[in-house]
Amino acid sequence: MKRATICVAAALVTALAAGMVAGCSSQPASSASGSASGSASSASASAESASAASASSESASAASEQSNDEVLAELKDVSSKMPAFKSVTITDQTVSVLSNVSEATTTDSSASAASSEAASSESAAAESSASAESSTIASTTVYKFDESGDKVRTSVKSEIEDITLQYFTEGDDAVCVTDGPAYSGTTDQFGLEHAAGAKAYLESATGDLNTIFNCVKTATKSQQDGMTVYELTLDPEKRIASDEVFQILADAGDPVQAESIILGFDEKGYLVWANEKREFKLSSLEKNLMLTDFDNTTVEPMPKADKTYEEMEADIDEKYDAFFADLDKNEAAEGEASSEAAEAK
């Protein structure tokens, strides 16, 4: 099945239940419709702002004269001494891009075998042009954490494509709010790793810092807008060896080829900005995290659910069946149209 088809299906399931709302980020999806353009533009603008901020940082402040080891040692010290907090809001804007190289190769070969030389050349050129276009998917997710009570309380609102999804958690209890029913279940059932708290979320979003530090190739320090900014570039081979997901991607033919991480700390020592860029052979990812409202974040009360997790699974199956029935119908129609066009030539 084509990668775009898989991710559209994944987005459909995500609309009902998936805990990792932007879970296709490392292997990004094709936009299913024009409805994605608004969120893509917003997240792309944020990513561009982050890149511009990095460039501004370099021009506004001379590069640190400290060595890589000195900068890294300082960053380790700063990150270990970050002040404690009971609540925080984290906004995650992620943009993923996939070059449809494999699809272009498959389609061109098929066209060549099915048509005459002249028709094949024309078809291959058109399909190659269409396939050369990158597929982009963008998501914006706002996480709120309150760890002031006996149980960690969180709320999440995510927008991906034209889907808006919300989760609320209190301890091990969770409610998933869709544009239809609200489903009750446990954090384990929904796969909500962030429910363990802000620290757990940051580790899952950016990776374990100690692991990342072991992969650093270069490290620089600068000052920007009241922040102390540390920019790291990572060694791709060490990065692949450090993480099972990266190893799987490399084995699948999409190894990470470059990765950079920017961490910004305010005057109080809080991490307030984290930007990560990953360049793979066939894809790329940029994640921009903004941390705000330390000890001043309010998590809304958990809403009442009207369906259970088990009922949600049944709803997913029904929507999945309907989705693939429509997909098969559309592919059959496209195949018939292509055959008629080939005969006409």
Side-chain angles (χ1 to χ4, degrees), residues 268-322:
K268 296 181 180 179
Y270 288 116
L271 174 67
V272 294
W273 177 37
N275 177 268
E276 183 174 16
K277 295 179 182 178
R278 298 174 186 167
E279 295 290 338
F280 298 85
K281 182 178 180 180
L282 304 178
S283 56
S284 66
L285 167 73
E286 179 162 4
K287 179 182 289 289
N288 197 53
L289 304 179
M290 301 298 294
L291 290 77
T292 58
D293 295 330
F294 290 93
D295 289 327
N296 196 33
T297 293
T298 300
V299 175
E300 302 85 346
M302 182 181 290
K304 184 177 180 180
D306 45 27
K307 283 193 174 185
T308 65
Y309 181 84
E310 289 72 21
E311 290 175 300
M312 183 197 70
E313 289 184 312
D315 289 346
I316 290 175
D317 290 340
E318 182 179 343
K319 288 182 179 291
Y320 237 151
D321 291 343

Side-chain angles (χ1 to χ4, degrees), residues 82-153:
M82 181 173 169
F85 54 88
K86 294 295 185 181
S87 67
V88 67
T89 298
I90 303 177
T91 301
D92 177 341
Q93 292 180 303
T94 299
V95 178
S96 301
V97 179
L98 171 69
S99 298
N100 294 327
V101 176
S102 60
E103 288 188 29
T105 302
T106 301
T107 330
D108 291 349
S109 299
S110 175
S112 178
S115 308
S116 66
E117 183 176 352
S120 174
S121 299
E122 181 180 350
S123 174
E127 289 166 346
S128 177
S129 175
S131 297
E133 297 180 3
S134 295
S135 302
T136 301
I137 189 167
S139 65
T140 299
T141 307
V142 178
Y143 296 83
K144 293 183 178 181
F145 299 89
D146 182 354
E147 302 177 42
S148 61
D150 295 335
K151 296 180 179 180
V152 177
R153 298 175 60 244

Side-chain angles (χ1 to χ4, degrees), residues 194-253:
H194 75 272
K199 182 179 179 181
Y201 166 72
L202 286 172
E203 287 187 358
S204 67
T206 63
D208 176 66
L209 285 182
N210 289 324
T211 300
I212 290 172
F213 292 156
N214 291 332
C215 301
V216 169
K217 186 176 182 181
T218 65
T220 60
K221 170 188 170 184
S222 61
Q223 299 295 322
Q224 176 194 327
D225 300 330
M227 290 189 299
T228 301
V229 178
Y230 299 89
E231 184 166 358
L232 312 175
T233 61
L234 308 186
D235 183 292
E237 292 185 2
K238 290 182 179 179
R239 195 66 171 115
I240 291 172
S242 73
D243 191 286
E244 182 180 1
V245 173
F246 285 101
Q247 187 64 63
I248 292 173
L249 291 173
D251 292 342

